[in-house]
Amino acid sequence: MGASSLPAPAPSAPAAPPAAALRQAPTGPRGDALLPWLLPAALLGLWFLGAAQGWISPQVLPPPQFVWETLRDLATSGELWLHVSASLQRVLVGFAVGALLGLALGSAMGLSRTAEAYLLPSFNALVQIPVLGWLPFVLLLVGIGEPLKYILIAKAALVPVALNTLQGFRQTPQNLREVGQVYGYSRRQQVLEIVLPHAVPTLFTGLRLGFTKAWLSLVVVELVASSEGLGYLIVYGRQLFQLDQVMAAVIVVGAIGYAIDRGLDWAERRVASGRPGATR
């Protein structure tokens, strides 16, 4: 039989739809924005319900109305802003010093294998000691004043910043380094144009973790040795058994920490969007 009598090929089946078309439509922007607030709203509702039904004694967990009134009184009297300003000053100074030292130490270890071999083992050993473990030693050196708080807060911020800086500098692909060598880049050009752009996301992660550690250490230090600040406000309320004041101070601590963390996250996304090859 000739080639001309062969039957015509069957039409090809239509291509399968892409997997993305089979998935359900993603949640809209409004739904995504509301998701993180579901759990806090549920806990707040449970708090209201427990207080109204008498499930929890007011001496153990005061009703939300009492906490709100106490928070309003502290704000209108100006006492709250006095404690907030003292805490913010301490955490910002301590975090700035710790972050700068962490960036310098992490950069030295990330750019020099020799520096890493000398410094990293001792650094890893020292960071295992918690902030309160350093308190008696630093207390003997500088006393109970503001330098004590700055040093302990800086130590808490230094650790994650240094470790993430080291990791960020070491994660640059080796082929990019070789390309820089082929084009005759100097050491400084390799660091600024190849290594640093790839390390930016990890550096910001270290800064966010460093601030979180600094903020937590601030409250701990003020709980132990302070006459003003949010940590002192918590201790003072506990000593007087004014748990509404304790809860109000805890809410302020959480709100300020969350706001600053969101600010660092916004700055990280802005810097990352300006990097070469970043999708906008």
Side-chain angles (χ1 to χ4, degrees):
M1 184 179 296
S4 59
S5 62
L6 292 175
S12 58
L22 299 177
R23 296 197 298 263
Q24 292 182 348
T27 307
R30 181 175 299 180
D32 290 341
L34 292 177
L35 284 177
W37 299 100
L38 291 180
L39 181 59
L43 293 176
L44 182 61
L46 187 62
W47 185 8
F48 269 103
L49 182 61
Q53 298 295 327
W55 295 343
I56 306 175
S57 171
Q59 287 75 24
V60 177
L61 185 64
Q65 300 91 326
F66 290 177
V67 176
W68 171 252
E69 291 174 3
T70 301
L71 185 59
R72 184 182 58 189
D73 293 341
L74 289 172
T76 54
S77 67
E79 183 180 357
L80 178 63
W81 312 119
L82 174 67
H83 294 294
V84 168
S85 61
S87 294
L88 285 178
Q89 177 183 346
R90 290 166 182 156
V91 75
L92 291 178
V93 172
F95 172 70
V97 173
L100 290 175
L101 292 176
L103 288 171
L105 182 61
S107 301
M109 293 189 294
L111 297 175
S112 171
R113 295 285 182 179
T114 303
E116 180 183 4
Y118 278 111
L119 298 176
L120 188 58
S122 300
F123 182 78
N124 283 332
L126 292 176
V127 301
Q128 306 304 321
I129 305 174
V131 171
L132 286 180
W134 291 100
L135 180 62
F137 177 70
V138 180
L139 186 62
L140 290 175
L141 291 178
V142 300
I144 203 171
E146 292 299 304
L148 169 71
K149 304 172 184 62
Y150 293 148
I151 291 173
L152 294 179
I153 294 170
K155 183 267 175 187
L158 181 147
V159 175
V161 174
L163 293 178
N164 279 271
T165 302
L166 169 61
Q167 179 184 356
F169 277 24
R170 286 293 165 83
Q171 68 186 9
T172 304
Q174 183 61 32
N175 57 349
L176 290 181
R177 296 175 182 265
E178 295 173 356
V179 170
Q181 294 175 357
V182 169
Y183 279 93
Y185 278 20
S186 64
R187 178 69 169 173
R188 180 175 176 273
Q189 287 177 313
Q190 289 186 23
V191 173
L192 294 180
E193 300 182 22
I194 297 177
V195 176
L196 190 57
H198 283 82
V200 165
T202 309
L203 293 181
F204 265 96
T205 300
L207 291 174
R208 290 180 64 183
L209 291 175
F211 175 79
T212 301
K213 295 292 186 181
W215 187 247
L216 295 176
S217 300
L218 163 78
V219 177
V220 171
V221 170
E222 289 182 340
L223 288 173
V224 175
S226 183
S227 59
E228 59 182 358
L230 293 172
Y232 167 77
L233 195 62
I234 294 174
V235 171
Y236 186 69
R238 179 185 61 81
Q239 291 173 345
L240 299 180
F241 213 69
Q242 296 177 349
L243 296 184
D244 51 340
Q245 177 174 308
V246 174
M247 292 295 298
V250 168
I251 291 173
V252 174
V253 168
I256 294 176
Y258 179 79
I260 298 180
D261 180 76
R262 291 296 88 196
L264 291 174
D265 177 66
W266 175 84
E268 178 183 357
R269 287 186 279 107
R270 288 295 301 269
V271 172
S273 65
R275 294 172 58 218
T279 57
R280 301 188 180 223

Short mmCIF file of all heavy atoms in Angstrom, two decimals, residues 54-92:
data_model
loop_
_atom_site.label_atom_id
_atom_site.label_comp_id
_atom_site.label_asym_id
_atom_site.label_seq_id
_atom_site.Cartn_x
_atom_site.Cartn_y
_atom_site.Cartn_z
N GLY A 54 -16.16 34.49 85.42
CA GLY A 54 -15.49 34.21 86.68
C GLY A 54 -14.65 32.96 86.67
O GLY A 54 -14.41 32.36 87.72
N TRP A 55 -14.19 32.53 85.48
CA TRP A 55 -13.35 31.34 85.40
C TRP A 55 -11.99 31.56 86.07
O TRP A 55 -11.40 30.63 86.60
CB TRP A 55 -13.14 30.95 83.94
CG TRP A 55 -14.41 30.53 83.24
CD1 TRP A 55 -15.58 30.16 83.83
CD2 TRP A 55 -14.61 30.42 81.84
NE1 TRP A 55 -16.52 29.84 82.89
CE2 TRP A 55 -15.95 29.98 81.64
CE3 TRP A 55 -13.82 30.66 80.72
CZ2 TRP A 55 -16.49 29.79 80.38
CZ3 TRP A 55 -14.35 30.45 79.46
CH2 TRP A 55 -15.68 30.03 79.29
N ILE A 56 -11.50 32.80 85.98
CA ILE A 56 -10.19 33.13 86.54
C ILE A 56 -10.37 34.25 87.54
O ILE A 56 -11.08 35.23 87.28
CB ILE A 56 -9.20 33.56 85.43
CG1 ILE A 56 -9.12 32.49 84.34
CG2 ILE A 56 -7.82 33.83 86.00
CD1 ILE A 56 -8.27 32.90 83.17
N SER A 57 -9.74 34.12 88.68
CA SER A 57 -9.86 35.15 89.72
C SER A 57 -9.25 36.46 89.23
O SER A 57 -8.18 36.46 88.61
CB SER A 57 -9.15 34.68 90.99
OG SER A 57 -9.08 35.74 91.93
N PRO A 58 -9.89 37.60 89.51
CA PRO A 58 -9.31 38.90 89.12
C PRO A 58 -7.95 39.16 89.76
O PRO A 58 -7.15 39.93 89.23
CB PRO A 58 -10.36 39.91 89.60
CG PRO A 58 -11.63 39.13 89.72
CD PRO A 58 -11.22 37.74 90.11
N GLN A 59 -7.69 38.53 90.92
CA GLN A 59 -6.38 38.69 91.54
C GLN A 59 -5.28 37.96 90.78
O GLN A 59 -4.10 38.29 90.92
CB GLN A 59 -6.40 38.18 92.99
CG GLN A 59 -7.14 39.08 93.96
CD GLN A 59 -8.64 38.99 93.81
OE1 GLN A 59 -9.17 37.98 93.31
NE2 GLN A 59 -9.36 40.03 94.23
N VAL A 60 -5.66 36.97 89.98
CA VAL A 60 -4.69 36.23 89.17
C VAL A 60 -4.57 36.83 87.77
O VAL A 60 -3.46 37.09 87.27
CB VAL A 60 -5.09 34.74 89.08
CG1 VAL A 60 -4.13 33.98 88.17
CG2 VAL A 60 -5.12 34.13 90.48
N LEU A 61 -5.69 37.07 87.13
CA LEU A 61 -5.71 37.67 85.80
C LEU A 61 -6.81 38.72 85.76
O LEU A 61 -7.99 38.38 85.67
CB LEU A 61 -5.95 36.61 84.72
CG LEU A 61 -5.88 37.10 83.26
CD1 LEU A 61 -4.47 37.60 82.95
CD2 LEU A 61 -6.26 36.00 82.30
N PRO A 62 -6.47 40.00 85.87
CA PRO A 62 -7.50 41.04 85.92
C PRO A 62 -8.27 41.13 84.61
O PRO A 62 -7.75 40.77 83.55
CB PRO A 62 -6.69 42.32 86.17
CG PRO A 62 -5.32 42.00 85.71
CD PRO A 62 -5.12 40.54 85.96
N PRO A 63 -9.50 41.59 84.64
CA PRO A 63 -10.29 41.72 83.41
C PRO A 63 -9.65 42.72 82.45
O PRO A 63 -8.91 43.63 82.86
CB PRO A 63 -11.64 42.25 83.92
CG PRO A 63 -11.69 41.88 85.36
CD PRO A 63 -10.28 41.93 85.84
N PRO A 64 -9.91 42.56 81.16
CA PRO A 64 -9.32 43.49 80.17
C PRO A 64 -9.69 44.94 80.43
O PRO A 64 -8.89 45.83 80.13
CB PRO A 64 -9.89 42.98 78.84
CG PRO A 64 -10.26 41.56 79.08
CD PRO A 64 -10.67 41.48 80.51
N GLN A 65 -10.91 45.19 80.97
CA GLN A 65 -11.30 46.57 81.22
C GLN A 65 -10.38 47.23 82.24
O GLN A 65 -10.00 48.40 82.08
CB GLN A 65 -12.75 46.63 81.73
CG GLN A 65 -13.77 46.06 80.76
CD GLN A 65 -14.02 44.59 80.99
OE1 GLN A 65 -13.11 43.85 81.36
NE2 GLN A 65 -15.27 44.16 80.79
N PHE A 66 -10.00 46.49 83.28
CA PHE A 66 -9.10 47.04 84.29
C PHE A 66 -7.72 47.33 83.70
O PHE A 66 -7.11 48.36 84.01
CB PHE A 66 -8.97 46.07 85.47
CG PHE A 66 -10.22 45.95 86.30
CD1 PHE A 66 -10.28 45.06 87.37
CD2 PHE A 66 -11.33 46.74 86.03
CE1 PHE A 66 -11.43 44.95 88.13
CE2 PHE A 66 -12.48 46.64 86.80
CZ PHE A 66 -12.53 45.73 87.84
N VAL A 67 -7.25 46.41 82.88
CA VAL A 67 -5.94 46.61 82.25
C VAL A 67 -5.97 47.83 81.34
O VAL A 67 -5.03 48.64 81.32
CB VAL A 67 -5.53 45.35 81.47
CG1 VAL A 67 -4.22 45.58 80.73
CG2 VAL A 67 -5.41 44.16 82.41
N TRP A 68 -7.05 47.99 80.57
CA TRP A 68 -7.16 49.14 79.68
C TRP A 68 -7.22 50.45 80.46
O TRP A 68 -6.58 51.43 80.08
CB TRP A 68 -8.39 48.99 78.80
CG TRP A 68 -8.70 50.23 78.00
CD1 TRP A 68 -9.73 51.11 78.19
CD2 TRP A 68 -7.95 50.75 76.90
NE1 TRP A 68 -9.68 52.13 77.28
CE2 TRP A 68 -8.59 51.93 76.48
CE3 TRP A 68 -6.80 50.32 76.25
CZ2 TRP A 68 -8.11 52.70 75.42
CZ3 TRP A 68 -6.33 51.09 75.19
CH2 TRP A 68 -6.98 52.26 74.78
N GLU A 69 -7.96 50.46 81.57
CA GLU A 69 -8.03 51.66 82.38
C GLU A 69 -6.67 52.00 82.99
O GLU A 69 -6.27 53.17 83.05
CB GLU A 69 -9.07 51.48 83.49
CG GLU A 69 -10.51 51.42 82.98
CD GLU A 69 -11.51 51.09 84.08
OE1 GLU A 69 -11.05 50.97 85.26
OE2 GLU A 69 -12.71 50.96 83.78
N THR A 70 -5.95 50.99 83.44
CA THR A 70 -4.62 51.23 83.99
C THR A 70 -3.67 51.76 82.92
O THR A 70 -2.89 52.69 83.16
CB THR A 70 -4.05 49.92 84.58
OG1 THR A 70 -4.92 49.46 85.60
CG2 THR A 70 -2.66 50.15 85.15
N LEU A 71 -3.74 51.17 81.73
CA LEU A 71 -2.89 51.64 80.63
C LEU A 71 -3.22 53.07 80.26
O LEU A 71 -2.32 53.90 80.02
CB LEU A 71 -3.09 50.71 79.43
CG LEU A 71 -2.19 50.95 78.21
CD1 LEU A 71 -0.72 50.81 78.58
CD2 LEU A 71 -2.54 49.97 77.10
N ARG A 72 -4.50 53.41 80.26
CA ARG A 72 -4.90 54.78 79.95
C ARG A 72 -4.44 55.75 81.02
O ARG A 72 -3.94 56.85 80.72
CB ARG A 72 -6.43 54.84 79.81
CG ARG A 72 -6.96 56.20 79.38
CD ARG A 72 -8.48 56.16 79.32
NE ARG A 72 -9.03 55.78 80.63
CZ ARG A 72 -10.31 55.49 80.83
NH1 ARG A 72 -11.16 55.50 79.80
NH2 ARG A 72 -10.73 55.16 82.04
N ASP A 73 -4.53 55.35 82.28
CA ASP A 73 -4.07 56.22 83.37
C ASP A 73 -2.56 56.44 83.31
O ASP A 73 -2.08 57.56 83.54
CB ASP A 73 -4.45 55.62 84.72
CG ASP A 73 -5.96 55.59 84.94
OD1 ASP A 73 -6.67 56.34 84.25
OD2 ASP A 73 -6.42 54.80 85.80
N LEU A 74 -1.82 55.38 83.01
CA LEU A 74 -0.37 55.52 82.89
C LEU A 74 0.00 56.45 81.74
O LEU A 74 0.95 57.24 81.84
CB LEU A 74 0.27 54.15 82.67
CG LEU A 74 0.29 53.19 83.87
CD1 LEU A 74 0.78 51.81 83.44
CD2 LEU A 74 1.17 53.74 84.98
N ALA A 75 -0.75 56.36 80.65
CA ALA A 75 -0.45 57.20 79.48
C ALA A 75 -0.80 58.65 79.75
O ALA A 75 -0.02 59.57 79.42
CB ALA A 75 -1.19 56.67 78.26
N THR A 76 -1.97 58.90 80.33
CA THR A 76 -2.39 60.29 80.55
C THR A 76 -1.56 60.98 81.63
O THR A 76 -1.35 62.19 81.57
CB THR A 76 -3.88 60.32 80.95
OG1 THR A 76 -4.10 59.45 82.07
CG2 THR A 76 -4.75 59.85 79.79
N SER A 77 -1.09 60.22 82.60
CA SER A 77 -0.27 60.83 83.65
C SER A 77 1.17 61.11 83.20
O SER A 77 1.89 61.85 83.87
CB SER A 77 -0.24 59.92 84.87
OG SER A 77 0.44 58.70 84.58
N GLY A 78 1.58 60.52 82.08
CA GLY A 78 2.94 60.71 81.59
C GLY A 78 3.93 59.70 82.13
O GLY A 78 5.09 59.66 81.67
N GLU A 79 3.51 58.88 83.09
CA GLU A 79 4.42 57.89 83.67
C GLU A 79 4.83 56.84 82.65
O GLU A 79 5.99 56.41 82.61
CB GLU A 79 3.75 57.22 84.88
CG GLU A 79 4.64 56.23 85.60
CD GLU A 79 3.95 55.58 86.78
OE1 GLU A 79 2.79 55.95 87.07
OE2 GLU A 79 4.57 54.71 87.43
N LEU A 80 3.89 56.44 81.80
CA LEU A 80 4.20 55.42 80.79
C LEU A 80 5.28 55.90 79.83
O LEU A 80 6.21 55.16 79.50
CB LEU A 80 2.93 55.05 80.03
CG LEU A 80 3.11 54.03 78.91
CD1 LEU A 80 3.58 52.69 79.46
CD2 LEU A 80 1.80 53.84 78.14
N TRP A 81 5.17 57.14 79.38
CA TRP A 81 6.15 57.65 78.41
C TRP A 81 7.52 57.80 79.05
O TRP A 81 8.54 57.66 78.36
CB TRP A 81 5.66 58.99 77.86
CG TRP A 81 4.23 58.93 77.42
CD1 TRP A 81 3.18 59.65 77.91
CD2 TRP A 81 3.68 58.05 76.42
NE1 TRP A 81 2.02 59.29 77.28
CE2 TRP A 81 2.29 58.32 76.36
CE3 TRP A 81 4.22 57.08 75.58
CZ2 TRP A 81 1.44 57.64 75.49
CZ3 TRP A 81 3.37 56.40 74.72
CH2 TRP A 81 2.01 56.68 74.68
N LEU A 82 7.57 58.09 80.34
CA LEU A 82 8.87 58.15 81.03
C LEU A 82 9.55 56.79 81.00
O LEU A 82 10.75 56.68 80.68
CB LEU A 82 8.65 58.60 82.48
CG LEU A 82 9.89 58.58 83.39
CD1 LEU A 82 10.90 59.61 82.93
CD2 LEU A 82 9.49 58.83 84.84
N HIS A 83 8.81 55.73 81.28
CA HIS A 83 9.39 54.39 81.27
C HIS A 83 9.70 53.92 79.85
O HIS A 83 10.73 53.27 79.62
CB HIS A 83 8.43 53.41 81.95
CG HIS A 83 8.23 53.66 83.41
ND1 HIS A 83 9.24 53.52 84.34
CD2 HIS A 83 7.14 54.06 84.11
CE1 HIS A 83 8.78 53.80 85.55
NE2 HIS A 83 7.50 54.13 85.44
N VAL A 84 8.83 54.24 78.90
CA VAL A 84 9.08 53.83 77.51
C VAL A 84 10.33 54.52 76.96
O VAL A 84 11.17 53.88 76.31
CB VAL A 84 7.85 54.16 76.64
CG1 VAL A 84 8.19 54.02 75.15
CG2 VAL A 84 6.69 53.23 76.98
N SER A 85 10.48 55.80 77.21
CA SER A 85 11.66 56.52 76.70
C SER A 85 12.94 55.98 77.32
O SER A 85 13.97 55.84 76.63
CB SER A 85 11.52 58.01 76.98
OG SER A 85 11.43 58.26 78.38
N ALA A 86 12.91 55.64 78.60
CA ALA A 86 14.11 55.08 79.23
C ALA A 86 14.46 53.72 78.63
O ALA A 86 15.64 53.45 78.33
CB ALA A 86 13.88 54.93 80.74
N SER A 87 13.46 52.88 78.39
CA SER A 87 13.73 51.56 77.80
C SER A 87 14.21 51.68 76.37
O SER A 87 15.13 50.98 75.96
CB SER A 87 12.46 50.70 77.86
OG SER A 87 12.11 50.41 79.20
N LEU A 88 13.59 52.57 75.58
CA LEU A 88 13.99 52.72 74.18
C LEU A 88 15.42 53.24 74.08
O LEU A 88 16.19 52.81 73.21
CB LEU A 88 13.02 53.66 73.46
CG LEU A 88 11.66 53.08 73.10
CD1 LEU A 88 10.80 54.14 72.43
CD2 LEU A 88 11.81 51.87 72.19
N GLN A 89 15.78 54.17 74.94
CA GLN A 89 17.15 54.68 74.91
C GLN A 89 18.16 53.57 75.19
O GLN A 89 19.17 53.44 74.50
CB GLN A 89 17.31 55.81 75.92
CG GLN A 89 18.74 56.35 76.00
CD GLN A 89 18.90 57.43 77.06
OE1 GLN A 89 17.90 57.95 77.57
NE2 GLN A 89 20.13 57.74 77.42
N ARG A 90 17.86 52.76 76.17
CA ARG A 90 18.77 51.67 76.52
C ARG A 90 18.90 50.66 75.39
O ARG A 90 19.99 50.24 75.03
CB ARG A 90 18.29 50.99 77.79
CG ARG A 90 18.44 51.82 79.04
CD ARG A 90 17.66 51.24 80.20
NE ARG A 90 17.76 52.07 81.39
CZ ARG A 90 16.86 52.08 82.37
NH1 ARG A 90 15.80 51.28 82.29
NH2 ARG A 90 17.01 52.86 83.41
N VAL A 91 17.77 50.26 74.83
CA VAL A 91 17.82 49.20 73.82
C VAL A 91 18.44 49.72 72.53
O VAL A 91 19.17 48.99 71.84
CB VAL A 91 16.42 48.61 73.57
CG1 VAL A 91 15.54 49.55 72.76
CG2 VAL A 91 16.52 47.26 72.88
N LEU A 92 18.19 50.96 72.17
CA LEU A 92 18.76 51.49 70.93
C LEU A 92 20.27 51.66 71.04
O LEU A 92 21.01 51.32 70.11
CB LEU A 92 18.09 52.81 70.56
CG LEU A 92 16.62 52.71 70.14
CD1 LEU A 92 16.04 54.09 69.85
CD2 LEU A 92 16.47 51.80 68.92
#
